[in-house]
Amino acid sequence: QQQQQQQQQQPPWEDQEELPQQEQQQERAQEASELVLESDRVEITDRFASFLMHNNLVPASFWSRCLQQDVYAALLANERRRRIRELSAEFTRDPVGFVDGVVHAFGSLEMQRLLARPLNVTFQNEPGSGPGVTREFLQLAVRSLIEVPPNTDGGGGGGGGAEAQQPLWECDPELRTYWFRFAGDPGQPDALRALGAMFGHSMLSKNVLPVAFPPVLFELLLKGLGSRLARSRFSLSDLALVCPAMARSMEKLLEYDGEDVAELFTLDWPRAEELLADNRVEYVDAYVQWYFFERYAPQVSPMAEGFRSVVGSSKLLRTLVRAAQLEQILCGGEAPVDVEAIKSGAIVEDWTKRDAEYLEGFWEVMRGLSESERRSFVTFVSSCSRTPPRGWQDLGLRVQKSGTGDERLPTAFTCFTLLLLPRYSSPEVLGARLRTAIADTEGFGLS
């Protein structure tokens, strides 16, 4: 009602600047969603239904609640019950036994039909239970399935040699996201299926995933559900968010116009012999589609199967949710840049004890930056604004003294997260020069 009165006094979307208008819309959306989530009964009026059609305005918390209700409603309808039976399980905290237990409980084919239920997890010899313990379990399970090599004796299908001794995922230090370590079939479908199920249960339990993944993974998960909103083609910019080095090579291939292009750019894939000087664009496009839809299909397919086993009954997820929204629901928003955490893990080089007060002035300037300026600073020193997998204390910032002079600007070597900071005459000059240096930061991208 308050929003209606405001709209009568000042018509929306008229005579307002674009940025304040967007902020107003987001604030109204957040307020409306909180009212809905806190109410026992909500009347879906024509106006509210019209608001829901603008799904980019709807907060992730609202989508998450709706998806949870959608899955449970479908489960009740299928089982013809008034109450949903829980999926109860007990796990050990021993790292190896924990991973084996998760893979066995959530990755085997015979368990897939039983996974679309609320979880109730306990740990051996521990009395605690309930939603908090379940969310702790999901955090441990996701991180363990990513970082701990699965047991080949119980992983469901072979795998050997070096691949058997390594995790199935690896973190790209440039992007700070996880992607499949091996191309092709690593022989661990149960482990991948279990991870997909953990994604599904994280959605139902409102658990935020402890690590980040490229946006394309969420597109592929939606495609595995048969979503009409999942993209059917990918681009070079998608490849850049998975494998920056390969994307840069593809960009150089597109720029090269010599007749010997096939001799200079050799790729290991089924259509490698088809490259010609006059089909470079089509060749790169075909490679990108193969990279995502075929090269990693043996890993994406079981992971999507596990995800589908938990939330595949949600019509809402298949018809209205886009990949960016799914990523926000599962991963949450980016954690604010924590200056104190960065400071705790930082290393200073070539400074003396007499510089201690000056360095504290640098951190005071950092504390005074806005959130967007802090993001720009992180990109300036590391080429990526994303939170490190284990938190801002792992940014690994090195602050090295770089001479004196108010006319100089700070510079950075992103490969080493190294900030070359001159000594300025005052904190005011330091703040001004630092803001100037980070103002045009872009990070990694394709020209």
Side-chain angles (χ1 to χ4, degrees), residues 67-362:
L67 289 168
Q68 182 188 60
Q69 295 300 318
D70 195 29
V71 170
Y72 291 161
L75 183 60
L76 285 172
N78 290 337
E79 294 192 352
R80 299 179 181 179
R81 292 174 177 267
R82 293 186 177 182
R83 187 174 180 180
I84 301 175
R85 290 181 297 175
E86 292 183 333
L87 181 62
S88 299
E90 184 181 73
F91 295 90
T92 176
R93 287 191 182 272
D94 172 69
V96 176
F98 179 76
V99 172
D100 290 346
V102 171
V103 171
H104 175 74
F106 296 95
S108 60
L109 286 172
E110 57 270 20
M111 284 295 297
Q112 298 306 297
R113 63 182 180 84
L114 304 175
L115 297 183
R117 304 176 185 278
L119 273 183
N120 182 19
V121 173
T122 57
F123 289 96
Q124 291 179 5
N125 303 317
E126 295 183 20
S129 63
V133 176
T134 296
R135 282 193 286 271
E136 181 191 1
F137 161 76
L138 290 169
Q139 292 274 319
L140 291 173
V142 171
R143 189 173 289 282
S144 297
L145 288 168
I146 289 173
E147 298 181 350
V148 178
N151 186 348
T152 56
D153 294 332
E163 294 184 4
Q165 306 302 319
Q166 299 185 66
L168 298 178
W169 300 76
E170 62 181 347
C171 183
D172 187 295
E174 186 173 359
L175 300 172
R176 298 179 197 147
T177 56
Y178 280 86
W179 187 248
F180 303 107
R181 181 182 297 272
F182 308 108
D185 186 2
Q188 295 290 340
D190 285 8
L192 293 162
R193 207 177 286 118
L195 182 59
M198 293 301 96
F199 274 45
H201 278 294
S202 291
M203 178 181 294
L204 296 184
S205 301
K206 293 183 285 188
N207 172 65
V208 176
L209 298 181
V211 295
F213 301 88
V216 69
L217 181 64
F218 302 96
E219 294 280 0
L220 293 170
L221 289 176
L222 283 181
K223 189 172 183 63
L225 292 177
S227 169
R228 66 182 186 181
L229 298 180
R231 289 160 55 193
S232 58
R233 299 190 68 80
F234 293 107
S235 66
L236 198 55
S237 60
D238 295 307
L239 182 62
L241 295 176
V242 172
C243 184
M246 179 57 71
R248 285 190 282 260
S249 296
M250 293 292 99
E251 188 181 35
K252 291 179 180 179
L253 189 158
L254 290 173
E255 294 171 350
Y256 188 78
D257 58 1
E259 292 297 326
D260 58 345
V261 61
E263 300 174 10
L264 293 178
F265 296 90
T266 57
L267 296 174
D268 183 16
W269 74 299
R271 298 175 58 182
E273 303 299 325
E274 299 180 16
L275 177 60
L276 300 171
D278 58 357
N279 74 344
R280 289 168 295 158
V281 174
E282 295 81 1
Y283 182 87
V284 169
D285 178 70
Y287 178 84
V288 171
Q289 308 317 315
W290 170 82
Y291 187 92
F292 288 118
F293 290 121
E294 297 183 42
R295 187 182 190 188
Y296 292 100
Q299 300 181 67
V300 172
S301 180
M303 186 175 178
E305 183 181 0
F307 185 65
R308 185 170 59 247
S309 296
V310 179
V311 297
S313 61
S314 174
K315 185 177 181 180
L316 182 66
L317 186 58
R318 296 195 307 271
T319 57
L320 290 179
V321 176
R322 298 184 182 276
Q325 294 164 325
L326 178 60
E327 180 181 7
Q328 189 178 13
I329 291 169
L330 285 170
C331 298
E334 271 286 289
V337 179
D338 188 337
V339 174
E340 298 306 320
I342 294 176
K343 181 183 177 182
S344 70
I347 298 173
V348 295
E349 300 177 355
D350 299 337
W351 302 89
T352 66
K353 291 182 178 180
R354 291 181 297 177
D355 296 316
E357 184 177 349
Y358 181 80
L359 286 173
E360 184 54 37
F362 162 72

Side-chain angles (χ1 to χ4, degrees), residues 286-437:
Y287 178 84
V288 171
Q289 308 317 315
W290 170 82
Y291 187 92
F292 288 118
F293 290 121
E294 297 183 42
R295 187 182 190 188
Y296 292 100
Q299 300 181 67
V300 172
S301 180
M303 186 175 178
E305 183 181 0
F307 185 65
R308 185 170 59 247
S309 296
V310 179
V311 297
S313 61
S314 174
K315 185 177 181 180
L316 182 66
L317 186 58
R318 296 195 307 271
T319 57
L320 290 179
V321 176
R322 298 184 182 276
Q325 294 164 325
L326 178 60
E327 180 181 7
Q328 189 178 13
I329 291 169
L330 285 170
C331 298
E334 271 286 289
V337 179
D338 188 337
V339 174
E340 298 306 320
I342 294 176
K343 181 183 177 182
S344 70
I347 298 173
V348 295
E349 300 177 355
D350 299 337
W351 302 89
T352 66
K353 291 182 178 180
R354 291 181 297 177
D355 296 316
E357 184 177 349
Y358 181 80
L359 286 173
E360 184 54 37
F362 162 72
W363 292 112
E364 194 59 37
V365 169
M366 288 290 298
R367 295 183 189 102
L369 297 178
S370 66
E371 177 63 23
S372 62
E373 288 174 327
R374 293 180 184 183
R375 290 279 172 195
S376 295
F377 172 81
V378 172
T379 305
F380 176 69
V381 298
S382 69
S383 81
C384 178
S385 66
R386 190 181 293 275
T387 309
R390 294 188 178 274
W392 287 110
Q393 69 276 3
D394 280 359
L395 180 65
L397 176 65
R398 295 163 56 196
V399 184
Q400 185 176 52
K401 189 175 183 179
S402 181
T404 59
D406 287 357
E407 73 284 353
R408 306 175 64 185
L409 288 175
T411 55
F413 288 95
T414 58
C415 294
F416 306 103
T417 321
L418 174 63
L419 174 66
L420 300 177
L421 182 67
R423 179 167 181 129
Y424 297 108
S425 59
S426 69
E428 292 75 20
V429 175
L430 168 59
R433 294 294 180 267
L434 184 62
R435 284 183 169 89
T436 300

